[in-house]
Amino acid sequence: DSFALENVTLKGTLSFFLSKDEILIKSNNDVKLNKMINVYANKKLNDSTDFEKIVIEQLVKLYDFKVIKEIVPSEAWDLVVVDSTLLTRYISDTVSIKGTLSNSNKEVSIKNLGIDYLAIGISRGCNKLITNKTKLKARYNIKVPIDDFERLKIELLSNYGISLVQSQLMLEYT
């Protein structure tokens, strides 16, 4: 089997092979971390753990960096429902199991997806750790701005009944 990742960032590639969200990968050289790369490799069946380790080792050699893990207290933001009647208006009536998460520099939208996906979209768009504390299983259609974090908090609360509550977690960064 061969494996290819084309036109991806080094950060995204590390995220994939380390099984870590991109927000948990830090560097003192963002230019290097955001460099677009291509990864090609041959993979034998049933050797995924060794394969991932070998790819990481090759990336370390090729791009001259170290993989260090450290546990650090980190700011997080929890999505919490404070007005379920507002949120109920945005439950998707689509029967399809397909959903869409759209991110731009200005907004995040989910169509026929759960709140977990909203948390992912906001987290990536705002470069903040967002966790879903709602425990909701329904699918929603939600669209929020991400170009201004204060405006995001206001719109989530006033339009959807969701509050962003600041918290702190001990997280392992790589």
Side-chain angles (χ1 to χ4, degrees), residues 43-93:
K43 177 181 176 184
K44 294 178 186 164
L45 295 176
N46 300 324
D47 73 344
S48 63
T49 305
D50 289 339
F51 175 73
E52 291 166 358
K53 184 179 173 186
I54 290 167
V55 170
I56 293 292
E57 287 171 358
Q58 292 302 313
L59 289 171
V60 165
K61 286 180 190 173
L62 186 61
Y63 295 102
D64 190 31
F65 65 91
K66 294 179 184 173
V67 176
I68 300 169
K69 295 180 180 183
E70 61 181 342
I71 297 176
V72 177
S74 303
E75 174 188 79
W77 292 87
D78 302 330
L79 291 171
V80 179
V81 175
V82 293
D83 186 346
S84 58
T85 55
L86 273 177
L87 186 57
T88 304
R89 296 179 196 163
Y90 299 94
I91 291 178
S92 176
D93 58 1

Side-chain angles (χ1 to χ4, degrees), residues 83-159:
D83 186 346
S84 58
T85 55
L86 273 177
L87 186 57
T88 304
R89 296 179 196 163
Y90 299 94
I91 291 178
S92 176
D93 58 1
T94 306
V95 229
S96 171
I97 59 169
K98 290 184 177 181
T100 306
L101 167 63
S102 299
N103 267 75
S104 75
N105 292 337
K106 296 185 182 218
E107 65 186 23
V108 167
S109 70
I110 59 168
K111 292 181 183 163
N112 197 36
L113 289 174
I115 300 295
D116 283 338
Y117 289 93
L118 181 65
I120 290 167
I122 294 171
S123 184
R124 289 183 179 159
C126 294
N127 201 29
K128 295 182 183 291
L129 182 62
I130 309 292
T131 61
N132 177 11
K133 298 292 184 177
T134 67
K135 299 181 182 168
L136 298 172
K137 300 295 179 204
R139 292 169 171 254
Y140 298 90
N141 297 321
I142 296 174
K143 185 178 191 178
V144 292
I146 57 169
D147 54 348
D148 178 335
F149 196 68
E150 290 305 312
R151 188 170 136 224
L152 166 67
K153 292 192 305 187
I154 291 166
E155 287 212 20
L156 276 170
L157 186 58
S158 62
N159 295 341

